[in-house]
């Protein structure tokens, strides 16, 4: 028995691929047998398999492979008295085995392309030119079969729910066809628009949507949602869809290309089989309903509903619109968590290339490390003028990704999602970027980035880090990780409450202000957020910023220190009315006035006005406090030598420079390195410059070399 499959080389000039002729079997448990043969891609009929590799070391299965030789090689083997073809018995992963058994027929051979066997995975050279062919392989396949599972160790409840979801998809699809003309849904563009509209429907406003919009997909969506929520049987069945959204298949990054390029697509789960359109429409419907009062709590309990299926729909849209590689990677950059995953970190980039009309600009090469792949991707995007990754905010180590310490400071690490919290600004006032790369032998990757920028100032004094101040306010370290108030425990013990009260009273003394005992006591109600902990942090954070401004005598600070403080504290607030009401709170007495805040934050029961427990925080209040908390997350206050107040990343330090680079939306903190080069520390908020005000001053610009 040959335990390792010995591949014969493919001919690159003729776009040759390997196909599997899967032999029939009468029983599902019969040994898998197939013949591998070489074939011209453009002259072949086959189905393509889309699946998750899974754990290759667990619960393996056996397959017998007969490797059919090409005619020339067969003749040569005869001359050398060698046998042909060669038969191998090898082990394959459980997921591939189950998928092949699903596709196997009783009486006919099925021709399949499956990446694990059709590509010599140990030959990096072959992978480097076969992987780019996958765009054509999946688009030319007669059918793409997506194998969703179940996994070999799948929980029985999950299996039951996913099967129920497949059955429900048929019911929902029938409803959809009654509401909308069947022929209309048959068009790909219409169906995609229907799915996106349904997924984003405001299900709390269905009646108004149905009455106001006579035609169009919004009306279709409202009617479909209403048909489901008005039927108690369908309501109870919709909970099963959450299990479908969580199948491992939808977490894999390669499925975006495989689904996006498929001419026709079939989902398979065990013995369940269904076309992609009803499945995606059902997932979209459940997305709209999962957060409403119409669906039982089981759908929202535990893990969140997984929305990664929406990226599959976006992939089909992308492939139909012939988008550029830059645009495809831009979309990938702005995707929100949870992100798609890959076993090979290089594939977080390579798997996206097949979505573009052309992958020219980034060559697939598996002989390169994933760090080298990320560097060449960064060079491509920066040269193309996409500079948003430079303002990616990663203040803590757990956000920095696997490759962060090994990459140039200008290269985006695709192994972890950074935050695009600074993309709303326009500090460079639409100045055209002047991007170039120079050879830099001292760098591991041989290149340095050069950008033109305007110096804003140098950091002259710094305050405490956000992470330090929230721990002093009684928050757990988890607050640093999630950056949210919700989910943080309320102070329960008498000791915790006493410590917080003492901390709050000390802060008021430092500010020279007072707060009544009753107002402070009110902070300890049973609210959605740990309001007492927040208030303790808030007071000390204001003190930290005030201390910086009062100890620094510079014209910009002396003119309007309170205005700068308000700009920092409320920088993430949205909406003119909200911003106006809060940014008018520019002095410490207003910022710390508990009675004023109480009026803004609480909904009161008129009959029980004096009862703490009768007060409830409004949804808007929760959002406001979260926004204020998030504004400071990962930051520390700092003063520049030019007198400007700033939020800088926690890693920022004295003597670091702040520069607005042309084409970059926010100022960057940079640190002097060797030989007049700099490393990017991260984006920063500098008061009075975030919307391009400094660009009007015609300050001198200079070239910076970034490594």
């Amino acid at each position: 028995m040959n335990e390792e499959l010995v591949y014969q080389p493919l001919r690159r000039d003729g776009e040759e691929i390997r196909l599997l002729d899967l032999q029939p079997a009468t029983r599902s448990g019969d040994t898998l047998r197939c013949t591998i043969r070489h074939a011209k891609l453009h002259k072949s009929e086959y189905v393509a398999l889309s699946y998750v590799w899974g754990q290759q070391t667990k619960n393996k299965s056996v397959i017998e492979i007969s490797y059919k030789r090409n005619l020339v090689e067969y003749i040569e083997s005869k001359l050398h008295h060698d046998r042909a073809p060669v038969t191998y018995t090898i082990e394959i992963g459980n997921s591939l085995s189950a998928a092949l058994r699903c596709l196997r027929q009783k009486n006919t051979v099925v021709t399949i392309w499956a990446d694990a066997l059709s590509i010599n995975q140990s030959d990096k050279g072959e992978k480097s030119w076969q992987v780019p062919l996958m765009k054509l392989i999946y688009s030319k396949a007669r059918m793409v079969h997506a194998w969703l599972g179940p996994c070999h160790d799948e929980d029985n409840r999950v299996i039951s729910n996913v099967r129920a979801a497949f059955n429900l998809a048929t019911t929902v699809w029938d409803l959809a066809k009654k509401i909308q003309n069947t022929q209309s849904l048959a068009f790909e563009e219409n169906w995609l628009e229907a799915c996106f509209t349904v997924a984003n429907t405001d299900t709390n406003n269905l009646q108004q949507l149905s009455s106001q919009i006579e035609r169009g997909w919004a009306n279709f969506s409202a009617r479909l949602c209403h048909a489901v929520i008005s039927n108690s049987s369908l309501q109870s069945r919709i909970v099963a869809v959450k299990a479908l959204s969580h199948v491992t298949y939808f977490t894999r990054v390669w499925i975006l290309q495989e689904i996006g390029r498929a001419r026709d697509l079939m989902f398979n789960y065990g013995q369940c089989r269904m076309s992609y359109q009803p499945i995606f429409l059902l997932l979209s419907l459940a997305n709209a309903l999962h957060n409403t009062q119409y669906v039982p709590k089981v759908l929202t309990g535990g893990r969140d509903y997984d929305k990664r299926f929406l990226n599959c729909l976006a992939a089909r849209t992308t492939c139909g619109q012939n988008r550029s590689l830059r645009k495809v990677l831009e979309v990938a950059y702005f995707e929100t968590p949870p992100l798609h995953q890959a076993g090979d970190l290089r594939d977080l980039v390579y798997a996206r290339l097949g979505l573009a009309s052309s992958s020219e600009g980034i060559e697939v090469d598996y002989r390169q490390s994933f760090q080298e792949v990320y560097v060449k991707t960064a060079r491509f995007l920066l040269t193309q003028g996409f500079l948003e990754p430079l303002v990616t905010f990663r203040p803590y180590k757990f956000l920095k990704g696997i490759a962060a310490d090994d990459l140039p400071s200008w290269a985006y690490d695709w192994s972890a999602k950074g935050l695009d919290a600074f993309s709303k600004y326009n500090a460079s006032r639409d100045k055209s970027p002047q991007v170039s790369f120079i050879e830099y032998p001292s760098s591991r990757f041989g290149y340095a980035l050069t950008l033109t920028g305007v110096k804003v100032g140098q950091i002259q004094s710094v305050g405490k880090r956000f992470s330090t101040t929230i721990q002093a306010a009684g928050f757990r370290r988890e607050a640093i990780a999630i950056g949210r108030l919700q989910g943080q425990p309320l102070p329960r013990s008498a000791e915790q409450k006493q410590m917080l009260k003492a901390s709050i009273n000390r802060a008021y003394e430092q500010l020279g202000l007072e707060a009544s005992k009753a107002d402070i006591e009110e902070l300890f109600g049973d609210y959605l957020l740990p309001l007492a902990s927040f208030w303790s942090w808030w007071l000390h954070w204001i003190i930290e910023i005030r201390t910086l401004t009062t100890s620094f005598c510079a014209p910009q600070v002396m003119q309007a220190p309170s205005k700068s403080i308000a700009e920092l504290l409320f920088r993430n607030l949205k909406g003119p009315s909200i911003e106006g009401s809060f940014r008018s709170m520019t002095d410490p007495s207003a910022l710390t006035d508990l009675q004023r805040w109480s009026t803004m934050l609480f909904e009161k029961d008129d009959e029980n006005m004096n009862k703490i427990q009768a007060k409830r925080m409004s949804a808007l209040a929760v959002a406001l406090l979260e926004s204020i908390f998030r504004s400071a997350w990962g930051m520390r206050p700092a003063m520049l030598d030019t007198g400007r107040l700033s939020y800088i990343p926690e890693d920022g330090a004295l003597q670091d420079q702040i520069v607005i680079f042309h084409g970059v939306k926010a100022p960057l903190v940079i640190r002097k390195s060797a030989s007049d080069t700099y490393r990017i520390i991260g984006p920063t908020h500098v008061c009075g410059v975030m919307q391009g005000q400094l660009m009007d001053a015609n300050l001198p610009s200079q070239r910076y070399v970034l490594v």
Side-chain angles (χ1 to χ4, degrees), residues 289-466:
L289 296 177
H290 87 281
N291 221 4
T292 69
Q293 72 269 27
Y294 303 114
V295 176
K297 292 290 184 183
V298 66
L299 189 58
T300 55
R303 294 185 297 174
D304 289 336
Y305 186 79
D306 199 319
K307 300 185 178 186
R308 277 178 279 199
F309 76 92
L310 289 170
N311 294 329
C312 300
L313 296 174
R316 288 194 70 82
T317 301
T318 297
C319 292
Q321 294 179 346
N322 294 320
R323 291 183 184 172
S324 68
L325 180 55
R326 169 186 161 164
K327 188 63 180 177
V328 166
L329 293 175
E330 278 186 38
V331 170
Y333 171 78
F334 285 115
E335 280 179 7
T336 56
L339 303 179
H340 295 277
Q341 303 298 318
D344 186 329
L345 293 176
R346 293 168 292 196
D347 290 339
L348 294 173
V349 172
Y350 288 161
R352 307 275 183 172
L353 304 186
L355 295 172
S357 57
S358 169
S359 61
E360 186 176 351
I362 299 179
E363 182 183 1
V364 175
D365 187 351
Y366 281 95
R367 292 164 295 193
Q368 293 181 328
S369 67
F370 72 90
Q371 293 96 331
E372 290 173 304
V373 174
Y374 292 174
V375 168
K376 71 179 178 183
T377 303
R379 290 185 62 199
F380 170 79
L381 287 173
L382 292 170
T383 304
Q384 291 281 313
F386 182 62
L387 273 59
E388 268 76 358
L390 294 180
V391 296
T392 299
F393 189 44
R394 286 184 167 129
Y396 300 116
K397 191 171 183 63
F398 68 87
L399 286 170
K400 294 185 184 297
I402 296 171
D405 295 335
D406 297 328
L407 293 175
S409 62
W410 43 263
Y412 183 71
D413 183 353
W414 291 87
S415 69
K417 174 66 178 176
L419 305 178
D420 56 329
F422 288 81
S423 60
K424 65 179 180 179
Y425 299 113
N426 190 20
S428 65
R429 186 64 69 81
D430 301 320
K431 285 274 189 179
S432 298
Q434 300 177 36
V435 179
S436 64
F437 286 91
I438 60 172
E439 292 186 3
Y440 189 72
S442 299
S443 167
R444 170 186 169 187
F445 302 98
Y447 294 96
L449 168 68
T450 68
L451 287 175
T452 299
V454 173
K455 183 178 177 180
V456 181
Q458 184 170 286
I459 297 173
Q460 185 150 323
S461 58
V462 295
K464 291 180 181 177
R465 293 176 171 86
F466 171 83

Side-chain angles (χ1 to χ4, degrees), residues 388 390-395 419-428 454-459 461-462 567-568 571-572 631-640 644-653 656-661 664-671 680-694:
E388 268 76 358
L390 294 180
V391 296
T392 299
F393 189 44
R394 286 184 167 129
L419 305 178
D420 56 329
F422 288 81
S423 60
K424 65 179 180 179
Y425 299 113
N426 190 20
S428 65
V454 173
K455 183 178 177 180
V456 181
Q458 184 170 286
I459 297 173
S461 58
V462 295
E567 179 183 338
L568 279 191
R571 69 190 186 94
N572 278 354
S631 293
W633 181 79
M635 293 292 193
R636 67 191 306 185
M639 289 298 302
L640 308 188
R644 295 190 180 275
L645 180 62
S646 310
Y647 269 168
I648 63 173
E650 288 199 14
D651 288 343
D656 286 348
Q657 295 185 33
I658 294 181
V659 177
I660 298 175
F661 291 102
V664 180
K665 292 186 175 180
L668 298 179
V669 178
I670 60 174
R671 183 170 298 161
I680 298 171
I681 304 302
T684 176
H685 186 115
V686 181
C687 292
V689 310
M690 300 307 289
Q691 297 303 331
Q693 301 95 314
L694 204 61

Side-chain angles (χ1 to χ4, degrees), residues 165-215:
F166 268 73
N167 292 331
L168 181 58
T170 301
T171 304
V172 169
W173 188 246
D174 289 340
L175 275 174
K177 289 189 291 186
K178 289 178 182 178
I179 295 170
Q180 190 73 25
N181 184 289
T182 303
Q183 189 175 3
S184 178
L185 282 172
F187 289 102
E188 179 78 2
E189 289 183 6
N190 290 348
W191 167 78
L192 282 169
E193 189 175 350
C195 286
F196 282 122
T197 306
V198 170
N200 294 290
T201 296
D202 180 4
T203 51
N204 297 309
N205 199 25
L206 291 180
Q207 190 171 4
Q208 186 177 356
L209 281 174
S210 299
S211 60
Q212 288 185 355
I213 305 174
E214 296 181 1
R215 297 183 302 275

Side-chain angles (χ1 to χ4, degrees), residues 148 162-170 244 267 269 272 274 279:
L148 307 188
V162 176
R163 287 173 177 168
F166 268 73
N167 292 331
L168 181 58
T170 301
L244 176 60
F267 282 120
Y269 186 85
C272 300
M274 185 166 294
I279 293 293

